[in-house]
Amino acid sequence: MSGKDLSSEEIHKITSFVDIEAPPPQGEPTAHILFGTNQTQPVEIAADRYHKGLAPLIIATGGVNRHNGIVEAQVFRDLLIERDVPNAVIRCEDQAANTWQNVEFSLPYVREALGSGLRITAVSKWYHRRTVHCLASVVPGLDLFYAISWEPLYSDEVVDRTSWPSIPEGRRRVVREWEEIPRRVTEGSFTVLRRINGAWKVCSTTRRCGSPLHGSRASQVDNVEPRDRH
């Protein structure tokens, strides 16, 4: 599927489906897990929220970036410290080669956060829906969690919720999420999620999360709130 194949209705459906945004309630501190990337927006988000008292634990993830050779989590940690985030607040997973491993190799830190009574907030690209599915699929007992999104830059262009169909690098990534997530849920390698009252909730049974929407390619995966229906 390419941008030329997409109608305005399809663009709306895809955008609504892949969008991870589900921030914590105002004033609620949570542990923030920064999914690996060679862009720095996650650091700015986490540092700002730390200084507001909203990110008492920050989990930096990511091994060697295949594009420029940096070790993503180590760069995150250094940049956070430069922004006056204490090293004691930061946990660093610097071996992962993919999104699944970002979570898998961070499990001790996620358990630490949950054990201290903190919920989890994923910080990742706005369309990178596999981040929330990996969290739900890898972390035992995770029930409800949040997500804060950011807009990446590719080919010197910001890939946001309106521009992505016209930017080849953005279109390729967004459409990949749209195609892969339902497939992974259907085959059982991703847990089913539903966005409920502004948070992501793990759905282990149909009864627990309600009947899926009909007539939508993504219905088996995401039974979302009325404002997000697609």
Side-chain angles (χ1 to χ4, degrees):
M1 178 184 291
S2 70
K4 293 180 180 179
D5 302 322
L6 301 176
S7 67
S8 58
E9 181 181 1
E10 287 172 322
I11 289 171
H12 173 71
K13 288 180 179 180
I14 293 171
T15 304
S16 296
F17 176 72
V18 301
D19 193 344
I20 69 161
E21 186 74 6
Q26 187 173 3
E28 180 179 338
T30 62
H32 288 48
I33 178 168
L34 314 186
F35 280 86
T37 178
N38 61 4
Q39 302 190 36
T40 61
Q41 292 94 321
V43 170
E44 307 300 338
I45 292 169
D48 178 68
R49 291 180 64 82
Y50 167 78
H51 290 297
K52 292 177 179 176
L54 299 174
L57 183 68
I58 300 171
I59 304 169
T61 76
V64 177
N65 184 278
R66 67 181 183 276
H67 298 296
N68 60 9
I70 66 167
V71 180
E72 294 166 341
Q74 293 178 10
V75 171
F76 279 169
R77 179 181 57 196
D78 292 345
L79 292 174
L80 286 165
I81 291 171
E82 285 179 12
R83 287 155 178 77
D84 297 320
V85 177
N87 190 51
V89 168
I90 305 166
R91 305 293 183 267
C92 194
E93 175 288 297
D94 60 4
Q95 299 299 311
N98 54 52
T99 306
W100 185 276
Q101 290 180 356
N102 286 155
V103 181
E104 183 180 29
F105 297 168
S106 297
L107 263 178
Y109 309 134
V110 175
R111 291 191 182 109
E112 175 188 356
L114 295 173
S116 67
L118 294 170
R119 291 198 184 275
I120 305 298
T121 296
V123 180
S124 73
K125 302 178 186 75
W126 70 268
Y127 60 80
H128 202 190
R129 182 156 170 165
R130 76 186 65 190
T131 58
V132 294
H133 281 275
C134 285
L135 264 174
S137 303
V138 173
V139 180
L142 187 65
D143 178 55
L144 183 147
F145 62 99
Y146 307 109
I148 295 175
S149 65
W150 53 275
E151 297 169 346
L153 187 73
Y154 292 112
S155 303
D156 297 320
E157 296 183 275
V158 176
V159 176
D160 60 26
R161 292 164 178 82
T162 57
S163 67
W164 69 263
S166 62
I167 301 172
E169 282 296 295
R171 184 174 66 241
R172 177 176 64 82
R173 288 170 166 83
V174 170
V175 171
R176 181 178 64 183
E177 296 298 303
W178 163 253
E179 294 177 337
E180 181 172 338
I181 301 304
R183 177 181 62 80
R184 295 284 297 272
V185 169
T186 298
E187 73 183 19
S189 60
F190 274 174
T191 295
V192 180
L193 290 178
R194 181 184 178 191
R195 209 160 11 208
I196 300 176
N197 297 325
W200 287 105
K201 187 173 180 60
V202 175
C203 300
S204 58
T205 66
T206 300
R207 177 180 298 176
R208 183 178 179 188
C209 283
S211 299
L213 299 175
H214 295 286
S216 168
R217 173 181 180 175
S219 64
Q220 62 188 308
V221 184
D222 190 17
N223 187 7
V224 298
E225 299 175 82
R227 70 174 186 273
D228 292 323
R229 288 187 189 274
H230 50 277

